[in-house]
Amino acid sequence: MSQQNDIPRIDVVRGTPTDEELAALIAVVSEAYATEAATAVVEDAPAADAWTHARRLRRPLARGAWGRFRG
């Protein structure tokens, strides 16, 4: 990514906020982002054990309707 895309951007679309108001907005949004990022948890996928892998490899081949005929 380019440097310009990595920089957060705030556009004021209405009104004329003072420097203090913009600073307060940036402080609140930054704190909310930091809190969310610190508490974010990604659930780990359960690890497949060796038995699961071996069972997949030993699955019988599909033989159609006659493959299930017992007799």
Side-chain angles (χ1 to χ4, degrees), residues 58-70:
R58 294 186 182 127
R59 197 177 302 163
L61 299 174
R63 296 185 185 128
W66 289 102
R68 291 186 299 259
F69 181 70
R70 302 252 186 237

Side-chain angles (χ1 to χ4, degrees), residues 43-53 55-56:
E43 295 196 21
D44 295 331
D49 58 352
W51 176 252
T52 303
H53 289 297
R55 201 171 68 213
R56 278 190 201 151

Side-chain angles (χ1 to χ4, degrees):
M1 263 192 232
S2 68
Q3 283 284 0
Q4 290 180 343
N5 291 340
D6 293 341
I7 300 171
R9 179 178 160 175
I10 296 177
D11 291 327
V12 177
V13 295
R14 192 181 315 177
T16 53
T18 64
D19 290 340
E20 292 82 17
E21 291 172 335
L22 286 175
L25 172 67
I26 291 170
V28 169
V29 171
S30 297
E31 180 64 26
Y33 176 78
T35 302
E36 183 177 343
T39 59
V41 177
V42 176
E43 295 196 21
D44 295 331
D49 58 352
W51 176 252
T52 303
H53 289 297
R55 201 171 68 213
R56 278 190 201 151
L57 293 174
R58 294 186 182 127
R59 197 177 302 163
L61 299 174
R63 296 185 185 128
W66 289 102
R68 291 186 299 259
F69 181 70
R70 302 252 186 237

